[in-house]
C-alpha cells in the first residue's frame, strides 16, 4: 500500500528571530515568529507525514497551548512524529517541498536543508528535495513579511 500526504504552513517573519528551514539556520535580518522555533519547513513536512497516515496534524500532537513546546526544536517534533509513523511499519519513499520566500534565497542552502531533513528521517538525501520560490513581490511572501512552505510525501507499507 502507498499513501501520499500534503502539508502546508506559513509563518510571519519578524526581526529578532532566527530564520530556520529544515533545521538549518540561514543568515537573515528576519526570522519566523512561532511558539516553537518557527521552522516552517519542518512543520509542513511533519504535517505531510502525519496526513499520509491520517494521524492528525502537528497542532494536535504538539499544541501551541502546551508550554512544553515553547521554543521547541521543530526538527525534534518532526522526529517524534515520524517515529510514531515508523512503528506502524510505514517506510518513507520521498518528500518534495516548496518554500515561498522573497529573501534570503534558498538555493545556496538547499543541499544542507535536504541533508538535514533526510538525516532526521533516516533516509538518503536524494529522497528529499526542496525548491525555493519567491513571491514575485506579491502578497505577504512578496512583501517579505511571511514565509510559506508546502510538502508532499509518499509512504509505503509494508
Ligand atoms: Mg508552523
Amino acid at each position: 500500500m502507498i499513501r501520499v500526504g500534503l502539508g502546508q504552513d506559513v509563518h510571519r517573519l519578524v526581526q529578532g528571530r532566527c530564520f530556520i528551514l529544515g533545521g538549518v539556520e540561514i543568515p537573515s535580518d528576519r526570522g519566523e515568529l512561532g511558539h516553537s522555533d518557527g521552522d516552517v519547513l519542518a512543520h509542513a513536512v511533519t504535517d505531510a507525514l502525519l496526513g499520509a497516515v491520517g494521524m492528525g496534524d502537528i497542532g494536535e500532537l504538539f499544541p501551541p497551548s502546551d508550554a512544553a513546546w515553547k521554543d521547541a526544536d521543530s526538527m525534534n517534533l518532526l522526529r517524534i512524529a515520524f517515529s510514531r509513523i515508523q512503528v506502524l511499519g510505514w517506510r518513507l519513499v520521498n518528500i518534495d517541498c516548496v518554500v515561498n520566500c522573497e529573501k534570503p534565497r534558498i538555493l545556496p542552502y538547499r543541499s544542507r536543508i535536504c541533508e538535514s531533513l533526510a538525516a532526521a528521517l533516516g533516509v538518503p538525501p536524494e529522497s528529499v528535495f526542496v525548491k525555493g520560490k519567491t513571491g514575485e513581490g506579491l502578497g505577504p511572501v512578496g512583501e517579505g513579511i511571511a514565509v510559506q512552505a508546502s510538502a508532499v510525501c509518499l509512504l509505503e507499507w509494508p
Side-chain angles (χ1 to χ4, degrees), residues 8-11 33-36 38-44 47 58 74:
Q8 288 188 322
D9 197 22
V10 62
H11 278 251
L33 187 62
H35 181 70
S36 65
D39 187 335
V40 68
L41 180 57
H43 295 177
D47 265 350
I58 190 170
S74 296

Side-chain angles (χ1 to χ4, degrees), residues 12 16 38-40 51 57 60 66 70 91 95 114 119 127 134:
R12 189 179 291 272
D39 187 335
V40 68
D57 63 43
E60 289 177 85
D66 188 338
K70 177 96 173 77
R91 189 184 76 83
I95 297 177
C114 292
S127 297
T134 72

Side-chain angles (χ1 to χ4, degrees), residues 30-157:
R30 294 179 180 188
E32 300 117 317
L33 187 62
H35 181 70
S36 65
D37 63 5
D39 187 335
V40 68
L41 180 57
H43 295 177
V45 170
T46 303
D47 265 350
L49 293 166
L50 291 169
V53 297
M55 202 184 273
D57 63 43
I58 190 170
E60 289 177 85
L61 260 66
F62 312 105
S65 55
D66 188 338
W69 312 120
K70 177 96 173 77
D71 298 323
D73 177 348
S74 296
M75 293 298 282
N76 202 31
L77 306 186
L78 172 61
R79 280 186 284 265
I80 293 169
F82 188 53
S83 69
R84 294 186 188 185
I85 294 166
Q86 275 185 308
V87 296
L88 300 176
W90 291 97
R91 189 184 76 83
L92 176 59
V93 178
N94 77 305
I95 297 177
D96 191 23
C97 312
V98 177
V99 176
N100 300 99
C101 181
E102 202 67 9
K103 65 172 187 177
R105 292 290 194 259
I106 306 303
L107 185 59
Y109 304 94
R110 180 164 76 190
S111 295
R112 281 178 58 199
I113 295 168
C114 292
E115 287 165 9
S116 171
L117 287 167
L121 298 168
V123 296
E126 55 268 27
S127 297
V128 180
F129 200 69
V130 177
K131 296 171 289 293
K133 308 285 284 186
T134 72
E136 295 286 340
L138 299 168
V141 169
E143 291 167 19
I145 58 173
V147 56
Q148 184 178 319
S150 306
V152 292
C153 71
L154 184 70
L155 299 179
E156 74 176 359
W157 185 91

